[in-house]
Amino acid sequence: MNIKENIKTLIIEKPLKLDCGQTISNFPLAYETFGTLNKNKDNAILVCHALTGDQFVTGINPVTKKDGWWTYAVGPNKSIDTNKYFIICANVLGGCMGSFGPSHENPKTKKIYGTDFPVITINDIVNAQVNLLDFFGIEKLFSVVGGSMGGMQVLQFVSNFPDKAKTAIPIACTSNHSAQNIAFNELGRQAITADHNWLDGNYNLKKTVPEKGLAVARMAAHITYLSKKGLQEKFGRKLQERDDLKFGFDADFQIESYLRYQGSVFVDRFDANSYLYITRAMDYFDLVKQFNGNLSNAFKNTKTKFFVISFTSDWLYPTQENKEIVIALNAINANVGFVEIESDKGHDSFLLDVPEFLKAVKNFLDKSFIEKL
Amino acid sequence: MKTEYKIIADIIENNSSILDVGCDDGNLMEFLKANKSTNIRGIEISKEKVQTCIAKGLTVIEGNAEFDLKQFPNDSFDYVVLGQTLQAFINPELVIKELLRIGKKAIITIPNFGHWKVRLNLLIKGTMPITNSLPHNWYNTPNIHMCTIKDFVKFSETIGFKIFKSLALKNKNISNITKSNLFFKNLFGELGIFLIEK
């Protein structure tokens, strides 16, 4: 990918000890910012992206030439208002939009890391990201915000750095990946590794891509981001550019065509090995276990004001799992608000035009900003 | 309504930690936040009302007080406030016990079903009373466990909690309820306000 010139990168010199035991240093962390950091440096919001997101939160993504993944929520006068706040987003460690990941060259072997890249965790991702605060001279974020895997990073961030965020908005997430979550991720990984072009992760050597496997992984995952009702309303049993069934295995149904399209555009922008690594990081995420079975202990030292948000039709990270975070916070009398937003759009609701959600985020941020906690 | 807020505020000491159970639009919370303590939180069952509270900058969780109070540890708050909602619960006894578990003190207000207008309404018309403060029909009222001021006093003895302050509100006038005037307060009070402890 000839994308380098559009990507801002911070080289992190300081050694970072990963959960897997390895230590990395002098590694790149790609990031983007939106809005302006004020004089007091107290208007910064760290946005954490989800599995297939990147640092190009809003506006036109210079690499894909498409809208940023959170254009509905982030921008001038939007929920996360770029006129007011300074938004920072980093491509996660292990990602494929410029941050240190499996598609980088291993200086020792002069080959692409592939599966020689260390297995990373949400904790590692967060510990890499915090360097951006030092880089910008920000002592304390106004907020740390993210949905799905981004929400997991929010939880881990506050746990690791209890005095570095005034507010936190974990959205549609969980404190530990469920068996079902792991199962879907494993399905995706198996699809990738079963592709004969994957070549044990060394596809780069043969200049191929495990396109089919990665596309199937994306298709399967995409289903989990939507709700049954949403799918039914959007597609039902509608046929794709034909009047009748063709008695074959082409995409007869619109939903088939839609999924195939989602799969095909995904392989153009995402690295298969990154997909393996990042889904693994999600599966390993277990803040409950990290604190010996008591999630409350993850937050016991923090004064951060939380706002937890879930969606009625999200069956991937259902309300109950989000509520467990609320319960853990209430158990230690932490400052926490919670709302479940009514939406048929499934887990993806947080990325879409869901007015009640966008309103809640805006109101929470704008009021908390005035409050000067 | 403002009178009720003022009475509640007067009971609460400055800078106490407060939980408003069934905080509705957050009007009481706003009042207490401005006048008593910024350490105030709410729980509300309606999504719409939670949104309203968030828009006011209040810390509120969406939840059902009948089931979701158990997440709070014992003595989490100095005061737990339950404003005119006790009658809407399926199990008021359980709710009261939960309030007294999570709060060091609880302030409960109840619309008085013993008020003479209510009594007269039933006596004369022979139908379930509909008044200004109880505007619903019997079949669509959320108030499934109405009680009178006298009932509540009796209830405290049955359940075993202490009433430290009991006030009756009538036409914006506030007065103490005592053993000797209970009959009259129960007849003329529109609202009962109680400060209770376990």
Side-chain angles (χ1 to χ4, degrees):
Chain A
M1 282 186 251
N2 55 344
I3 53 174
K4 289 267 148 57
E5 69 266 28
N6 292 317
I7 291 182
K8 297 187 184 97
T9 308
L10 174 69
I11 301 296
I12 297 171
E13 292 166 8
K14 207 168 69 182
L16 174 64
K17 184 151 197 279
L18 304 174
D19 284 336
C20 68
Q22 291 189 40
T23 299
I24 57 173
S25 55
N26 288 309
F27 62 92
L29 192 70
Y31 69 92
E32 192 50 73
T33 68
F34 308 85
T36 318
L37 186 61
N38 64 11
K39 240 193 206 156
N40 296 334
K41 299 192 173 189
D42 61 3
N43 70 332
I45 298 179
L46 179 67
V47 168
C48 304
H49 72 71
L51 168 59
T52 67
D54 52 42
Q55 65 272 39
F56 300 111
V57 178
T58 187
I60 298 293
N61 181 323
V63 179
T64 63
K65 311 288 179 209
K66 288 185 176 154
D67 277 341
W69 57 271
W70 221 8
T71 301
Y72 281 119
V74 183
N77 302 318
K78 291 184 182 174
S79 302
I80 303 176
D81 188 349
T82 48
N83 289 338
K84 259 188 201 168
Y85 309 116
F86 178 62
I87 288 99
I88 311 166
C89 183
N91 184 215
V92 295
L93 201 60
C96 50
M97 200 53 95
S99 285
F100 191 41
S103 56
H104 280 223
E105 191 184 274
N106 183 342
K108 279 185 198 149
T109 62
K110 302 280 176 214
K111 285 198 301 190
I112 298 296
Y113 274 101
T115 53
D116 287 336
F117 192 77
V119 168
I120 42 112
T121 62
I122 298 294
N123 183 42
D124 298 332
I125 288 171
V126 163
N127 288 335
Q129 271 172 3
V130 78
N131 287 289
L132 280 165
L133 270 63
D134 300 335
F135 176 69
F136 287 108
I138 296 163
E139 197 142 307
K140 195 168 192 173
L141 293 166
F142 165 54
S143 196
V144 52
V145 187
S148 196
M149 187 184 84
M152 299 177 204
Q153 292 166 64
V154 170
L155 299 176
Q156 187 79 60
F157 185 93
V158 178
S159 178
N160 289 11
F161 312 105
D163 56 356
K164 281 210 178 297
K166 283 181 181 172
T167 65
I169 315 183
I171 305 159
C173 70
T174 180
S175 55
N176 59 0
H177 240 207
S178 68
Q180 192 188 46
N181 295 148
I182 298 169
F184 278 115
N185 277 348
E186 175 61 1
L187 174 66
R189 287 190 294 267
Q190 285 296 325
I192 290 166
T193 57
D195 188 318
H196 64 86
N197 280 333
W198 182 62
L199 304 171
D200 292 329
N202 297 314
Y203 44 88
N204 180 270
L205 294 176
K206 293 267 163 71
K207 301 221 178 307
T208 91
V209 173
E211 280 183 347
K212 293 235 162 74
L214 184 57
V216 171
R218 177 61 170 174
M219 288 164 77
H222 202 85
I223 301 166
T224 69
Y225 304 151
L226 309 171
S227 74
K228 183 174 179 178
K229 191 170 177 218
L231 274 176
Q232 196 62 27
E233 274 171 10
K234 192 166 175 192
F235 302 103
R237 294 183 55 82
K238 280 185 268 187
L239 299 178
Q240 178 68 21
E241 291 168 357
R242 57 197 65 191
D243 299 325
D244 218 332
L245 301 176
K246 292 284 186 220
F247 292 90
F249 296 101
D250 280 345
D252 276 349
F253 296 101
Q254 276 184 13
I255 179 62
E256 294 174 307
S257 169
Y258 171 79
L259 281 181
R260 288 179 190 198
Y261 173 76
Q262 290 297 332
S264 73
V265 293
F266 185 61
V267 298
D268 292 337
R269 71 173 179 91
F270 214 84
D271 176 56
N273 285 333
S274 271
Y275 197 88
L276 301 181
Y277 276 91
I278 301 172
T279 54
R280 207 67 187 134
M282 294 168 83
D283 290 347
Y284 280 8
F285 184 63
D286 189 349
L287 207 51
V288 181
K289 186 174 163 232
Q290 194 189 328
F291 287 88
N292 303 316
N294 187 345
L295 183 58
S296 297
N297 287 340
F299 308 111
K300 69 174 177 205
N301 296 319
T302 188
K303 289 206 158 56
T304 300
K305 180 180 172 186
F306 282 85
F307 185 29
V308 178
I309 305 175
S310 71
F311 298 94
T312 48
S313 58
D314 183 351
W315 53 274
L316 195 60
Y317 301 105
T319 289
Q320 192 46 44
E321 288 180 26
N322 289 274
K323 251 183 147 173
E324 275 161 26
I325 300 161
V326 179
I327 290 168
L329 286 164
N330 272 327
I332 48 166
N333 249 313
N335 191 341
V336 56
F338 163 71
V339 68
E340 181 196 47
I341 302 287
E342 193 96 47
S343 164
D344 287 340
K345 293 176 174 153
H347 178 60
D348 259 357
S349 295
F350 79 97
L351 297 170
L352 302 172
D353 186 16
V354 177
E356 285 297 304
F357 164 67
L358 296 170
K359 188 173 85 183
V361 172
K362 185 170 184 62
N363 284 334
F364 174 79
L365 285 177
D366 289 353
K367 287 288 172 182
S368 300
F369 193 60
I370 303 167
E371 227 170 45
K372 292 276 173 205
L373 300 168
Chain B
M1 210 47 76
K2 265 279 153 75
T3 321
E4 184 186 351
Y5 294 172
K6 221 187 144 297
I7 297 163
I8 292 172
D10 284 345
I11 296 174
I12 294 172
E13 286 142 55
N14 284 334
N15 303 318
S16 306
S17 59
I18 309 164
L19 176 71
D20 187 352
V21 177
C23 60
D24 204 68
D25 284 342
N27 290 335
L28 173 64
M29 282 181 77
E30 264 192 315
F31 186 80
L32 293 175
K33 198 176 170 182
N35 296 294
K36 277 288 155 176
S37 170
T38 51
N39 188 0
I40 180 160
R41 290 195 270 152
I43 176 167
E44 169 57 43
I45 197 166
S46 145
K47 290 180 197 307
E48 213 186 329
K49 285 173 176 169
V50 173
Q51 287 274 19
T52 309
C53 290
I54 290 158
K56 291 176 175 172
L58 301 167
T59 299
V60 172
I61 62 168
E62 182 186 330
N64 182 339
E66 200 126 23
F67 309 106
D68 292 327
L69 292 180
K70 55 176 180 279
Q71 63 187 285
F72 296 99
N74 297 352
D75 294 336
S76 294
F77 300 93
D78 296 327
Y79 292 91
V80 177
V81 181
L82 184 71
Q84 301 198 40
T85 350
L86 186 66
Q87 74 281 356
F89 291 115
I90 297 166
N91 192 340
E93 182 182 341
L94 202 84
V95 172
I96 289 270
K97 282 181 175 163
E98 277 294 89
L99 297 182
L100 288 170
R101 182 185 64 77
I102 65 176
K104 291 173 190 147
K105 292 172 182 160
I107 298 169
I108 320 261
T109 73
I110 55 158
N112 180 24
F113 209 66
H115 190 264
W116 67 269
K117 276 187 188 165
V118 175
R119 300 192 199 188
L120 202 64
N121 210 307
L122 182 60
L123 184 71
I124 305 290
K125 286 193 185 165
T127 57
M128 283 302 279
I130 295 173
T131 64
N132 287 340
S133 53
L134 301 165
H136 300 93
N137 281 297
W138 65 269
Y139 51 84
N140 61 13
T141 178
N143 304 322
I144 55 174
H145 279 125
M146 289 305 307
C147 72
T148 68
I149 288 175
K150 201 171 172 181
D151 279 329
F152 191 82
V153 173
K154 244 180 147 178
F155 186 50
S156 74
E157 288 157 11
T158 319
I159 305 298
F161 59 84
K162 298 184 197 90
I163 298 179
F164 277 80
K165 202 170 252 181
S166 46
L167 303 161
L169 186 68
K170 182 198 155 206
N171 292 334
K172 298 190 176 176
N173 294 318
I174 190 76
S175 57
N176 281 307
I177 303 169
T178 61
K179 259 196 178 136
S180 55
N181 71 11
L182 180 59
F183 178 85
F184 294 101
K185 295 299 166 193
N186 195 33
L187 194 56
F188 296 110
E190 289 150 2
L191 193 76
I193 298 166
F194 301 91
L195 172 69
I196 65 171
E197 279 179 51
K198 21 183 181 283

